[in-house]
Amino acid sequence: MTTTWQPSPDLPPPASTVGAVGWARSNLFSTWLSSVFTVVLTLITIYFLWQILDWGIFSADLAGKDQSACEGDGACWVFVKDRFNFFIYGFYPDAEQWRVNVMFILLAALIFPHFFENAPYKKALGWIFLTVYPVVSGVLLLGGVFGLEFVDTDKWGGLMLTLVLSYVGIVAALPIGILLALGRRSEMPVIRTICVAFIELWRGVPLISVLFMASVMLPLFLPEGTNFNKLLRALIGITMFQSAYMAEVVRGGLQAIPRGQYEAAAALGLGYWRSMWLVILPQALKLVIPGIVNTFIALFKDTTLVLIIGLFEVLGGVQAAVIDPAWQNVAVEGFVFAAFVYWIFCFAMSRYSQALERKLDTGH
Amino acid sequence: MADQPTSGGGSQPSKPPPWNDPAVRSIVFQVLALVVLGWFFWTILNNTLANMETRGISTGFAFLDRDAGFGILMSLIPYDESNSYGRTFVVGLLNTVLVAFLGIILATVLGFIIGVARLSNNWVIAKLAAVYVEVVRNIPLLLQIFFWYIAVLQALPGIRQSITFGDSFYLNNRGFFFPKPVFGDGFGLVWIALIVAIVAIVCLRKWAKRQLDRTGQQFPVFYASAGLIIGLPLIAFLAMGAPLTFEYAELQRFRLAGGASVIPELMALLWALTMYTAAFIAEIVRAGILAVSHGQTEASRALGLKNNQTLQLVIIPQAMRVIIPPLTSQYLNLTKNSSLATAIGYPDLVSVFMGTTLNQTGQAVEIVAMTMAVYLSISLLISLVMNIYNRRMALVER
């Protein structure tokens, strides 16, 4: 009689290496030094978290209208509530603020589908975002036509101004940046030199000096009598500065396209512009979308600098409200609010760019 | 086919007409570009000259010799109101260099610590480092500078209620005051001893490397170096009879007299720059270390290297190659970001020269050009130094 040998079943892994206990052993208490760190840091973190929560939520004041409502030890959110309108719309007239809201909603509607893998009409929405949207929002915000009341740019401010600055900065800088990047890789020495000089000049100087230059030197450069407003000057400065960075991002994409693609386009009989437009750029730009988003994040944070030349975006608004004697000791609350606004935008965008990078990373 | 070439295979293809010839086209385009550029600059120049004439501003750099007539909060070289505008340029430049230099050192140290912490086996450490990076780098630098300056440092108590540490360090809303070292006679010898020690360490390292290559014997370089760099100056110091005294800051009625101090503007700027840049450096360091394949760690373990030897001899040298190029651009960013000093009134180049001096003289073109030239040179200098270092660290292939 033959019996088949049956191995006895595997023993389960030791209880100390699996589950919560095992995880804690290897990740929290692997050595005695690690255990000390775990315990000390956890206690410190809990202490600070408790302090922050207590300050920001449990002991904070939200009801009321002015300084007298803030008597507790916690944060005085009444201040933020009171100035909220100013932080979002600047000096934009109350009756016209719906126009800004429409701009916000349109922006959200155009961007929203891009967070989903299979959303339809993504490409069309992208083109609308780059071409139609700026015109529509320009008309909406400025007014003066279609019976809309004219709102001068010196009334613009707050989050709305931040969005306008960063949006225009990126949309205007993209085409210039692409041209500069193509120029930098051109075979014509003069064009290449001009592009390299332009890019390196703007990349080598701080944005503040560019803004200073835009605000004091631009009026000198133009024929006598031409005068244009502060916002436009800032936008020109930001666009020049940003296009240099954009050019370097695009150049990265152009360099990643294998030589065979250029040669194949030439073999098909395409001229320079058609081979770039139809073959090279569609591939290169797709590669650098994460880079463009990262540039955009940097720009979004850099728009805060315009407060130095007297434009009040979110941080400028908070800064002005904080030193306003109507409210005392609200600096922390104001800055925490501004930080929160910027953080939400930047964090969301950086997550988006990371997800894109993972999606596009089809390499090994 | 009517337009088939009539000649046989061996001959040259017929030359295209000149408007289709790439060589001719390229020359035409370049000449056109030059003409447009020249016209552009010519117009700008003309407009500028005309505008400056109507505003009564003289061109040229003569203003640099005129008296400035304004005070500067902090200066590394002697400066007062009777000095020239040229002097204000130097004062601002030195202040910028100071904050950039200190910032680069501090941000590198903090960034490396956080970058390594993010890769820690300890979950709590890794998560805290990740939270730090995600919070700090997604908040604008200017906001952070304002926060530290307005919300933290200006909220400190006044001079009478200073926070004191052992009666020699004072922290208040006017800055941080600490005892000023006064070097007595013969302290120069200590500096000489320090230089000798550094030279000796360099020689020792070279010798130890040769010794290791020749005999396989390891020499405890680290302890020997530590002994040299502490021991030699200490011996010199004691031999000269300890020629070092401290001048303490004294609390007077409305101010702290004597001692040395750091103004709150510098503290806020330096602290914010350090924290912000460190978050970016941490990410670079993490990416650099992750780029070294795990096989390298395993191989060095198999060779019997200890943990810290693995890190020092195998991981870090390879990670540095990935780290250095982006690190360079972070250093450049830090230097350029130091110009945000203007917003809180730290007297850096932009604040003093492009701000006050420009407002007083109206020499916009000269001043903007000088300031931009300085930043361009600093940028080029830093990238040059880092490129040299990068070349030394780069992979030597066959």
Side-chain angles (χ1 to χ4, degrees):
Chain A
M1 200 173 93
T2 57
T3 51
T4 323
W5 179 75
Q6 289 283 343
S8 43
D10 289 347
L11 287 174
S16 63
T17 62
V18 290
V21 177
W23 183 87
R25 270 201 173 202
S26 63
N27 288 308
L28 297 178
F29 307 104
S30 55
T31 59
W32 66 267
L33 189 66
S34 177
S35 313
V36 171
F37 269 120
T38 305
V39 172
V40 172
L41 288 176
T42 312
L43 289 178
I44 294 177
T45 312
I46 290 174
Y47 173 75
F48 276 105
L49 263 185
W50 172 250
Q51 292 280 318
I52 291 171
L53 285 178
D54 183 49
W55 174 83
I57 297 173
F58 304 132
S59 323
D61 298 297
L62 188 59
K65 274 211 155 313
D66 51 20
Q67 185 88 58
S68 58
C70 292
E71 282 165 345
D73 300 331
C76 178
W77 297 125
V78 190
F79 161 70
V80 174
K81 199 177 73 175
D82 185 47
R83 296 300 168 93
F84 189 76
N85 213 28
F86 180 60
F87 295 157
I88 302 294
Y89 306 103
F91 296 106
Y92 214 84
D94 286 350
E96 305 294 326
Q97 278 169 7
W98 62 268
R99 283 150 58 174
V100 182
N101 291 337
V102 170
M103 180 196 86
F104 285 154
I105 291 167
L106 279 178
L107 183 66
L110 283 173
I111 289 181
F112 195 60
H114 287 270
F115 288 103
F116 298 97
E117 190 96 4
N118 305 320
Y121 309 121
K122 258 196 196 165
K123 206 169 173 184
L125 285 178
W127 279 110
I128 292 175
F129 182 68
L130 292 180
T131 52
V132 180
Y133 181 68
V135 179
V136 173
S137 343
V139 168
L140 262 176
L141 293 182
L142 260 180
V145 284
F146 304 128
L148 291 171
E149 193 193 322
F150 177 68
V151 181
D152 201 11
T153 50
D154 53 354
K155 292 206 172 61
W156 297 15
L159 181 63
M160 162 211 160
L161 184 62
T162 300
L163 289 178
V164 168
L165 284 169
S166 37
Y167 175 79
V168 174
I170 212 79
V171 171
L174 188 62
I176 304 179
I178 291 174
L179 286 180
L180 283 171
L182 290 176
R184 192 169 183 163
R185 285 170 60 78
S186 157
E187 279 160 12
M188 304 179 207
V190 173
I191 307 276
R192 196 169 57 227
T193 316
I194 294 173
C195 291
V196 170
F198 184 94
I199 293 172
E200 295 305 330
L201 174 73
W202 294 119
R203 270 163 42 94
V205 298
L207 180 57
I208 285 209
S209 66
V210 176
L211 288 173
F212 262 114
M213 189 183 128
S215 79
V216 292
M217 271 167 84
L218 268 185
L220 284 178
F221 287 163
L222 294 165
E224 260 192 284
T226 12
N227 199 4
F228 54 102
N229 68 47
K230 238 191 295 188
L231 178 66
L232 192 57
R233 284 187 220 166
L235 280 176
I236 291 177
I238 286 178
T239 306
M240 292 290 114
F241 185 77
Q242 206 57 36
S243 58
Y245 282 87
M246 195 59 86
E248 286 301 275
V249 172
V250 174
R251 184 169 71 117
L254 290 176
Q255 280 173 343
I257 304 299
R259 226 186 135 63
Q261 296 288 329
Y262 291 87
E263 288 164 354
L268 285 173
L270 298 177
Y272 178 79
W273 291 109
R274 282 206 294 167
S275 70
M276 287 301 149
W277 182 249
L278 296 171
V279 181
I280 306 298
L281 282 178
Q283 302 182 65
L285 289 182
K286 197 172 158 193
L287 281 180
V288 296
I289 292 176
I292 294 177
V293 178
N294 287 338
T295 327
F296 185 74
I297 298 174
L299 172 63
F300 192 82
K301 288 184 288 179
D302 277 348
T303 54
T304 49
L305 302 198
V306 297
L307 84 89
I308 284 159
I309 59 167
L311 292 168
F312 293 99
E313 37 58 73
V314 180
L315 181 59
V318 168
Q319 159 84 343
V322 159
I323 49 181
D324 181 358
W327 289 87
Q328 308 283 325
N329 297 326
V330 287
V332 181
E333 287 85 346
F335 289 129
V336 166
F337 170 75
F340 185 69
V341 171
Y342 282 105
W343 188 82
I344 291 275
F345 275 90
C346 294
F347 185 69
M349 285 189 286
S350 77
R351 275 298 142 108
Y352 174 64
S353 126
Q354 282 165 17
L356 262 183
E357 261 168 71
R358 271 195 298 276
K359 202 179 106 188
L360 292 174
D361 182 22
T362 46
H364 312 287
Chain B
M1 292 270 170
D3 53 349
Q4 216 169 16
T6 44
S7 56
S11 76
Q12 292 284 315
S14 60
K15 261 185 103 64
W19 59 87
N20 267 346
D21 185 343
V24 176
R25 275 188 168 201
S26 133
I27 290 171
V28 170
F29 279 137
Q30 298 187 48
V31 169
L32 260 179
L34 275 182
V35 168
V36 169
L37 202 69
W39 171 81
F40 179 72
F41 280 118
W42 176 245
T43 325
I44 282 186
L45 188 71
N46 269 339
N47 286 337
T48 312
L49 287 178
N51 279 324
M52 286 177 90
E53 213 176 288
T54 47
R55 293 182 198 190
I57 308 170
S58 59
T59 49
F61 291 92
F63 73 97
L64 288 176
D65 291 327
R66 296 213 304 270
D67 283 355
F70 64 91
I72 297 179
L73 191 58
M74 173 191 145
S75 167
L76 294 177
I77 51 171
Y79 171 86
D80 64 55
E81 295 174 13
S82 64
N83 285 126
S84 65
Y85 285 124
R87 188 91 168 169
T88 64
F89 172 74
V90 180
V91 170
L93 177 59
L94 286 178
N95 283 341
T96 292
V97 171
L98 173 77
V99 79
F101 178 74
L102 293 177
I104 284 176
I105 294 176
L106 294 176
T108 310
V109 173
L110 188 61
F112 270 74
I113 292 174
I114 295 169
V116 172
R118 269 202 88 170
L119 295 170
S120 166
N121 288 329
N122 186 309
W123 186 83
V124 178
I125 296 179
K127 278 293 165 234
L128 281 179
V131 167
Y132 173 87
V133 169
E134 289 300 349
V135 168
V136 169
R137 72 174 180 167
N138 283 319
I139 294 175
L141 176 60
L142 189 60
L143 204 164
Q144 299 189 27
I145 293 176
F146 276 146
F147 179 81
W148 292 113
Y149 184 60
I150 297 177
V152 176
L153 290 177
Q154 290 202 336
L156 284 173
I159 294 211
R160 302 290 319 170
Q161 290 83 34
S162 294
I163 303 165
T164 56
F165 312 95
D167 270 350
S168 42
F169 297 91
Y170 296 87
L171 185 65
N172 54 47
N173 59 10
R174 300 286 183 78
F176 178 61
F177 295 77
F178 53 94
K180 183 163 134 192
V182 181
F183 303 116
D185 295 333
F187 197 82
L189 198 68
V190 178
W191 294 120
I192 295 171
L194 191 68
I195 294 167
V196 170
I198 292 170
V199 173
I201 287 171
V202 173
C203 296
L204 183 74
R205 285 184 71 109
K206 283 213 168 127
W207 174 80
K209 178 85 170 44
R210 267 216 313 278
Q211 186 78 2
L212 180 68
D213 288 346
R214 210 173 52 232
T215 64
Q217 295 292 314
Q218 272 191 344
F219 184 79
V221 180
F222 179 77
Y223 294 109
S225 307
L228 272 175
I229 202 135
I230 298 170
L232 269 185
L234 194 68
I235 291 170
F237 181 68
L238 294 176
M240 293 309 292
L244 179 69
T245 48
F246 286 101
E247 180 196 320
Y248 290 93
E250 256 178 73
L251 195 58
Q252 293 182 348
R253 185 176 285 235
F254 292 117
R255 61 193 195 101
L256 279 158
S261 65
V262 182
I263 54 173
E265 288 81 9
L266 176 58
M267 280 197 283
L269 182 67
L270 192 58
W271 184 235
L273 275 176
T274 303
M275 288 192 54
Y276 185 74
T277 316
F280 288 90
I281 293 181
E283 282 300 275
I284 292 169
V285 169
R286 182 175 79 114
I289 293 176
L290 285 179
V292 180
S293 81
H294 194 60
Q296 297 285 330
T297 316
E298 289 167 347
S300 70
R301 289 277 168 74
L303 286 173
L305 295 182
K306 292 180 201 124
N307 253 342
N308 57 347
Q309 284 176 322
T310 306
L311 204 64
Q312 215 176 58
L313 300 172
V314 180
I315 309 285
I316 289 181
Q318 298 189 67
M320 282 317 259
R321 285 192 200 116
V322 184
I323 290 174
I324 285 172
L327 193 62
T328 315
S329 63
Q330 283 310 317
Y331 287 170
L332 292 178
N333 281 346
L334 189 145
T335 310
K336 286 184 276 173
N337 283 337
S338 71
S339 59
L340 295 184
T342 319
I344 56 168
Y346 171 74
D348 81 321
L349 184 64
V350 170
S351 161
V352 169
F353 199 59
M354 226 176 185
T356 320
T357 303
L358 197 154
N359 280 340
Q360 289 200 3
T361 61
Q363 305 278 359
V365 181
E366 293 86 350
I367 286 178
V368 170
M370 277 173 82
T371 314
M372 286 194 163
V374 165
Y375 280 103
L376 270 179
S377 329
I378 295 178
S379 298
L380 290 177
L381 192 71
I382 293 184
S383 24
L384 189 75
V385 171
M386 292 307 268
N387 276 342
I388 293 172
Y389 183 61
N390 196 18
R391 206 166 306 141
R392 282 191 50 193
M393 296 292 286
L395 194 62
V396 182
E397 290 184 11
R398 279 161 292 169

